């Protein structure tokens, strides 16, 4: 397919504003090759680079990548420590390139549990890219959808206690505006690789009306074409947000 036909089939205004990806299957990818699981995590970094660059090129506004869940601490200590080392080295290596491409990097999650070395790499990379106006790249690390809602509710409870708002007047927006990614649009498209069809405590609130795309491909095999396949699928979905199909067609006419 030529670049021209691709642009025609994926018109910029029909693209998802916010894509969230559960990058799954690194371990199985490695095991299939008779290698240790961590080999798959390292190979997964290339898939991250391809996905970020393609999403940025296509004009997607926000890309959120699930890199480490609040439950992934349950893994063997050695795997967790390789993952942490990988974060440090990738952040150090890639921050400048992201900056050059006008990408704003945010690390979303409870980073207080990370080593001080990693926390300082995170602070440096975020500071370097904070004023960039292109793609917003959220790397969700020690993130959990339930954690996100809990931290919002903690702020809310404090505000009720301080008399800022009344408990019986709380509406959805009062929670939404206290979530970690409150300034960004909700997720339009969620992609999960590796054939698993679950959400695994990713962005629960923000995915309320997301289209869910599952592919059998393991994360290290995900590339530009795989992303375009997902986008092509997405632009053909009819999103109804509770309305009927007829109402949606009338509104589009
Ligand atoms: C996803 O791949 C990466 C992380 C969760 C950090 P996995 O490590 O979960 O790979 P599988 O699912 O075991 O194959
Ligand atoms: C979800 O993958 C978390 C990330 C991709 C970072 P998992 O591999 O941890 O999910 P489960 O445990 O299979 O649901
Ligand atoms: Mg997995």
């Amino acid at each position: 397919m030529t670049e021209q036909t691709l642009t025609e089939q994926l018109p910029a205004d029909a693209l998802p504003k916010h894509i969230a990806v559960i990058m799954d299957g690194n371990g199985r990818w490695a095991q299939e090759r008779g290698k240790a699981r961590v080999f798959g995590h390292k190979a997964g970094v290339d898939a991250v680079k391809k996905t970020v660059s393609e999403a940025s090129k296509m004009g997607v506004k926000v890309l959120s990548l699930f890199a480490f869940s609040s439950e992934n601490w349950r893994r063997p200590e050695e795997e967790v420590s390789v993952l942490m080392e990988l974060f440090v080295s990738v952040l150090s290596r890639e921050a400048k390139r992201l900056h050059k491409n006008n990408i704003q990097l945010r690390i979303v999650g409870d980073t207080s549990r990370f080593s001080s070395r990693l926390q300082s790499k995170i602070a440096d990379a975020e500071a370097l890219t904070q004023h960039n106006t292109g793609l917003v790249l959220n790397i969700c690390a020690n993130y959990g959808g339930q954690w996100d809602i809990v931290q919002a509710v903690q702020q809310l409870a404090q505000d009720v206690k301080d008399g800022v708002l009344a408990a019986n007047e709380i509406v959805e927006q009062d929670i939404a505006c206290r979530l970690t990614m409150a300034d960004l649009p909700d997720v339009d498209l969620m992609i999960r690789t590796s054939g698993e069809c679950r959400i695994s405590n990713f962005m629960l609130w923000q995915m309320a009306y997301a289209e869910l795309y599952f592919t059998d491909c393991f994360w290290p095999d995900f590339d530009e074409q795989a992303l375009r396949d997902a986008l092509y699928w997405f632009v053909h979905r009819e999103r109804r947000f509770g309305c009927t199909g007829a109402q949606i067609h009338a509104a589009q006419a």
Side-chain angles (χ1 to χ4, degrees), residues 22-31 37 40-41 66-69 72 75 79 83 87 192-194 196 198 218-220:
I22 303 181
M23 310 184 288
D24 198 14
N26 293 349
R28 280 164 284 167
W29 183 91
Q31 277 158 351
R37 293 175 53 82
H41 297 315
F66 205 7
F68 192 86
S69 77
N72 287 146
R75 293 191 176 198
E79 181 169 342
L83 280 167
F87 289 150
R192 183 174 189 145
T193 56
S194 90
E196 307 302 344
R198 54 179 174 260
F218 289 141
W219 177 251

Short mmCIF file of all heavy atoms in Angstrom, two decimals, residues 22-31 37 40-41 66-69 72 75 79 83 87 192-194 196 198 218-220, ligand 1:
data_model
loop_
_atom_site.label_atom_id
_atom_site.label_comp_id
_atom_site.label_asym_id
_atom_site.label_seq_id
_atom_site.Cartn_x
_atom_site.Cartn_y
_atom_site.Cartn_z
N ILE A 22 -1.17 -1.92 25.97
CA ILE A 22 -0.65 -2.89 26.94
C ILE A 22 0.36 -3.74 26.18
O ILE A 22 0.00 -4.58 25.36
CB ILE A 22 -1.79 -3.74 27.55
CG1 ILE A 22 -2.84 -2.83 28.21
CG2 ILE A 22 -1.21 -4.75 28.56
CD1 ILE A 22 -3.99 -3.58 28.87
N MET A 23 1.63 -3.45 26.44
CA MET A 23 2.71 -4.09 25.68
C MET A 23 2.99 -5.46 26.31
O MET A 23 3.81 -5.58 27.21
CB MET A 23 3.96 -3.20 25.76
CG MET A 23 3.69 -1.74 25.41
SD MET A 23 5.20 -0.73 25.39
CE MET A 23 5.61 -0.63 27.12
N ASP A 24 2.31 -6.47 25.82
CA ASP A 24 2.40 -7.78 26.49
C ASP A 24 3.01 -8.83 25.57
O ASP A 24 2.90 -8.75 24.35
CB ASP A 24 0.98 -8.21 26.92
CG ASP A 24 1.01 -9.29 27.99
OD1 ASP A 24 2.10 -9.52 28.58
OD2 ASP A 24 -0.04 -9.91 28.24
N GLY A 25 3.64 -9.83 26.18
CA GLY A 25 4.15 -10.98 25.42
C GLY A 25 5.67 -11.01 25.26
O GLY A 25 6.19 -11.85 24.52
N ASN A 26 6.38 -10.12 25.96
CA ASN A 26 7.85 -10.13 25.86
C ASN A 26 8.45 -11.46 26.31
O ASN A 26 9.35 -11.99 25.67
CB ASN A 26 8.46 -9.03 26.74
CG ASN A 26 8.13 -7.63 26.25
OD1 ASN A 26 7.63 -7.47 25.15
ND2 ASN A 26 8.42 -6.64 27.07
N GLY A 27 7.95 -11.96 27.43
CA GLY A 27 8.49 -13.20 28.00
C GLY A 27 8.27 -14.39 27.07
O GLY A 27 9.20 -15.16 26.80
N ARG A 28 7.06 -14.50 26.55
CA ARG A 28 6.76 -15.63 25.65
C ARG A 28 7.53 -15.52 24.35
O ARG A 28 7.97 -16.52 23.79
CB ARG A 28 5.24 -15.70 25.39
CG ARG A 28 4.47 -16.36 26.53
CD ARG A 28 2.99 -16.09 26.44
NE ARG A 28 2.69 -14.73 26.86
CZ ARG A 28 1.53 -14.13 26.65
NH1 ARG A 28 0.57 -14.77 26.01
NH2 ARG A 28 1.32 -12.92 27.09
N TRP A 29 7.72 -14.30 23.87
CA TRP A 29 8.50 -14.08 22.64
C TRP A 29 9.92 -14.65 22.83
O TRP A 29 10.45 -15.32 21.96
CB TRP A 29 8.55 -12.58 22.34
CG TRP A 29 9.25 -12.20 21.08
CD1 TRP A 29 8.70 -12.06 19.84
CD2 TRP A 29 10.65 -11.88 20.94
NE1 TRP A 29 9.66 -11.68 18.93
CE2 TRP A 29 10.87 -11.56 19.58
CE3 TRP A 29 11.75 -11.84 21.82
CZ2 TRP A 29 12.12 -11.20 19.07
CZ3 TRP A 29 13.00 -11.48 21.32
CH2 TRP A 29 13.17 -11.17 19.97
N ALA A 30 10.50 -14.36 23.99
CA ALA A 30 11.86 -14.83 24.26
C ALA A 30 11.87 -16.36 24.45
O ALA A 30 12.73 -17.05 23.89
CB ALA A 30 12.40 -14.14 25.52
N GLN A 31 10.89 -16.85 25.21
CA GLN A 31 10.85 -18.29 25.49
C GLN A 31 10.71 -19.11 24.21
O GLN A 31 11.31 -20.17 24.06
CB GLN A 31 9.74 -18.62 26.49
CG GLN A 31 10.21 -18.38 27.92
CD GLN A 31 9.09 -18.17 28.92
OE1 GLN A 31 7.92 -18.02 28.55
NE2 GLN A 31 9.43 -18.14 30.19
N ARG A 37 13.53 -14.65 29.65
CA ARG A 37 12.45 -13.66 29.49
C ARG A 37 12.98 -12.23 29.29
O ARG A 37 12.43 -11.46 28.51
CB ARG A 37 11.55 -13.69 30.73
CG ARG A 37 10.74 -14.96 30.91
CD ARG A 37 9.98 -14.90 32.23
NE ARG A 37 9.20 -13.68 32.32
CZ ARG A 37 8.01 -13.50 31.77
NH1 ARG A 37 7.43 -14.49 31.14
NH2 ARG A 37 7.38 -12.35 31.89
N GLY A 40 13.42 -10.77 25.93
CA GLY A 40 12.20 -10.24 25.32
C GLY A 40 11.94 -8.80 25.71
O GLY A 40 11.49 -7.99 24.90
N HIS A 41 12.23 -8.46 26.98
CA HIS A 41 12.04 -7.07 27.40
C HIS A 41 12.97 -6.15 26.61
O HIS A 41 12.60 -5.06 26.21
CB HIS A 41 12.30 -6.91 28.90
CG HIS A 41 11.34 -7.69 29.76
ND1 HIS A 41 9.99 -7.70 29.52
CD2 HIS A 41 11.54 -8.48 30.85
CE1 HIS A 41 9.40 -8.47 30.42
NE2 HIS A 41 10.31 -8.96 31.24
N PHE A 66 1.90 0.99 28.66
CA PHE A 66 1.95 0.33 29.98
C PHE A 66 3.27 -0.43 30.05
O PHE A 66 3.46 -1.45 29.39
CB PHE A 66 0.76 -0.63 30.08
CG PHE A 66 0.32 -0.93 31.49
CD1 PHE A 66 0.84 -0.26 32.59
CD2 PHE A 66 -0.69 -1.88 31.72
CE1 PHE A 66 0.39 -0.53 33.89
CE2 PHE A 66 -1.14 -2.16 33.01
CZ PHE A 66 -0.60 -1.48 34.09
N ALA A 67 4.19 0.09 30.84
CA ALA A 67 5.53 -0.49 30.90
C ALA A 67 5.72 -1.39 32.12
O ALA A 67 6.49 -2.35 32.08
CB ALA A 67 6.57 0.62 30.91
N PHE A 68 5.05 -1.04 33.23
CA PHE A 68 5.23 -1.81 34.47
C PHE A 68 4.01 -1.55 35.35
O PHE A 68 3.73 -0.40 35.69
CB PHE A 68 6.52 -1.35 35.17
CG PHE A 68 6.96 -2.25 36.29
CD1 PHE A 68 7.75 -3.36 36.03
CD2 PHE A 68 6.58 -1.98 37.60
CE1 PHE A 68 8.16 -4.20 37.07
CE2 PHE A 68 6.98 -2.81 38.64
CZ PHE A 68 7.78 -3.92 38.38
N SER A 69 3.30 -2.61 35.67
CA SER A 69 2.07 -2.41 36.45
C SER A 69 2.37 -2.47 37.95
O SER A 69 3.43 -2.98 38.37
CB SER A 69 1.04 -3.49 36.10
OG SER A 69 1.36 -4.71 36.72
N ASN A 72 3.29 -5.86 38.85
CA ASN A 72 4.50 -6.52 38.32
C ASN A 72 5.63 -6.67 39.34
O ASN A 72 6.58 -7.42 39.11
CB ASN A 72 5.01 -5.80 37.06
CG ASN A 72 4.15 -6.04 35.83
OD1 ASN A 72 3.99 -5.15 34.98
ND2 ASN A 72 3.58 -7.23 35.69
N ARG A 75 6.75 -10.23 40.38
CA ARG A 75 7.62 -11.08 39.54
C ARG A 75 8.94 -11.39 40.26
O ARG A 75 9.28 -10.70 41.22
CB ARG A 75 7.89 -10.38 38.22
CG ARG A 75 6.63 -10.26 37.41
CD ARG A 75 6.90 -9.81 36.02
NE ARG A 75 5.65 -9.80 35.27
CZ ARG A 75 5.55 -9.78 33.96
NH1 ARG A 75 6.64 -9.75 33.23
NH2 ARG A 75 4.38 -9.77 33.37
N GLU A 79 14.02 -10.43 37.49
CA GLU A 79 13.34 -9.84 36.33
C GLU A 79 12.98 -8.38 36.60
O GLU A 79 13.17 -7.51 35.74
CB GLU A 79 12.07 -10.65 35.99
CG GLU A 79 11.35 -10.08 34.77
CD GLU A 79 10.25 -10.99 34.21
OE1 GLU A 79 10.23 -12.20 34.52
OE2 GLU A 79 9.40 -10.47 33.46
N LEU A 83 14.31 -5.04 34.54
CA LEU A 83 13.37 -4.05 33.99
C LEU A 83 13.72 -2.64 34.46
O LEU A 83 13.69 -1.69 33.67
CB LEU A 83 11.93 -4.41 34.38
CG LEU A 83 11.29 -5.51 33.53
CD1 LEU A 83 10.01 -6.02 34.19
CD2 LEU A 83 10.99 -5.01 32.12
N PHE A 87 14.84 0.63 32.20
CA PHE A 87 14.22 1.96 32.23
C PHE A 87 15.30 3.03 32.30
O PHE A 87 15.28 4.02 31.57
CB PHE A 87 13.31 2.15 33.45
CG PHE A 87 12.03 1.36 33.39
CD1 PHE A 87 11.42 0.92 34.56
CD2 PHE A 87 11.43 1.07 32.17
CE1 PHE A 87 10.25 0.18 34.51
CE2 PHE A 87 10.25 0.34 32.13
CZ PHE A 87 9.66 -0.11 33.30
N ARG A 192 -3.94 -4.26 22.92
CA ARG A 192 -3.17 -5.21 23.74
C ARG A 192 -2.60 -6.29 22.84
O ARG A 192 -3.33 -6.92 22.07
CB ARG A 192 -4.02 -5.84 24.83
CG ARG A 192 -3.15 -6.77 25.71
CD ARG A 192 -3.85 -7.33 26.91
NE ARG A 192 -2.89 -8.02 27.78
CZ ARG A 192 -2.93 -8.06 29.08
NH1 ARG A 192 -3.91 -7.45 29.73
NH2 ARG A 192 -2.01 -8.70 29.79
N THR A 193 -1.32 -6.51 22.97
CA THR A 193 -0.67 -7.57 22.20
C THR A 193 -0.66 -8.88 22.97
O THR A 193 -1.05 -8.92 24.15
CB THR A 193 0.79 -7.16 21.86
OG1 THR A 193 1.47 -6.87 23.08
CG2 THR A 193 0.83 -5.94 20.95
N SER A 194 -0.27 -9.94 22.32
CA SER A 194 0.01 -11.27 22.89
C SER A 194 -1.22 -12.15 23.06
O SER A 194 -1.11 -13.24 23.64
CB SER A 194 0.76 -11.18 24.23
OG SER A 194 -0.13 -11.11 25.33
N GLU A 196 -3.84 -11.93 24.90
CA GLU A 196 -4.63 -11.88 26.15
C GLU A 196 -5.72 -10.83 25.98
O GLU A 196 -5.46 -9.74 25.49
CB GLU A 196 -3.75 -11.48 27.34
CG GLU A 196 -2.51 -12.32 27.54
CD GLU A 196 -2.79 -13.80 27.74
OE1 GLU A 196 -3.95 -14.16 28.01
OE2 GLU A 196 -1.85 -14.59 27.58
N ARG A 198 -7.64 -9.01 28.28
CA ARG A 198 -8.02 -8.41 29.57
C ARG A 198 -7.33 -7.06 29.70
O ARG A 198 -6.42 -6.73 28.94
CB ARG A 198 -7.66 -9.35 30.73
CG ARG A 198 -6.22 -9.80 30.76
CD ARG A 198 -5.93 -10.71 31.96
NE ARG A 198 -4.57 -11.25 31.89
CZ ARG A 198 -4.27 -12.47 31.46
NH1 ARG A 198 -5.22 -13.30 31.08
NH2 ARG A 198 -3.00 -12.89 31.42
N PHE A 218 3.14 -10.87 19.57
CA PHE A 218 3.86 -10.56 20.81
C PHE A 218 4.47 -9.16 20.68
O PHE A 218 4.84 -8.74 19.58
CB PHE A 218 4.96 -11.59 21.07
CG PHE A 218 4.45 -12.95 21.47
CD1 PHE A 218 5.06 -14.12 21.00
CD2 PHE A 218 3.37 -13.08 22.33
CE1 PHE A 218 4.59 -15.37 21.37
CE2 PHE A 218 2.89 -14.33 22.71
CZ PHE A 218 3.50 -15.48 22.23
N TRP A 219 4.60 -8.47 21.81
CA TRP A 219 5.03 -7.07 21.74
C TRP A 219 6.32 -6.84 20.93
O TRP A 219 6.37 -5.92 20.10
CB TRP A 219 5.14 -6.44 23.14
CG TRP A 219 5.64 -5.04 23.03
CD1 TRP A 219 6.85 -4.56 23.40
CD2 TRP A 219 4.94 -3.93 22.42
NE1 TRP A 219 6.96 -3.22 23.09
CE2 TRP A 219 5.81 -2.82 22.47
CE3 TRP A 219 3.68 -3.77 21.82
CZ2 TRP A 219 5.45 -1.57 21.97
CZ3 TRP A 219 3.32 -2.53 21.31
CH2 TRP A 219 4.21 -1.44 21.38
N PRO A 220 7.39 -7.66 21.08
CA PRO A 220 8.60 -7.36 20.30
C PRO A 220 8.39 -7.42 18.79
O PRO A 220 9.18 -6.85 18.03
CB PRO A 220 9.60 -8.44 20.76
CG PRO A 220 9.12 -8.80 22.12
CD PRO A 220 7.61 -8.75 22.03
C1 LIG B 1 5.06 -7.46 29.03
O1 LIG B 1 5.52 -8.73 28.70
C2 LIG B 1 6.09 -6.62 29.75
C3 LIG B 1 5.83 -6.39 31.18
C4 LIG B 1 4.77 -6.76 31.84
C5 LIG B 1 6.84 -5.65 31.90
P1 LIG B 1 5.47 -9.93 29.74
O2 LIG B 1 6.72 -9.91 30.53
O3 LIG B 1 4.23 -9.88 30.52
O4 LIG B 1 5.47 -11.19 28.77
P2 LIG B 1 4.58 -12.51 28.94
O5 LIG B 1 3.15 -12.05 29.04
O6 LIG B 1 5.03 -13.20 30.17
O7 LIG B 1 4.85 -13.27 27.69
#
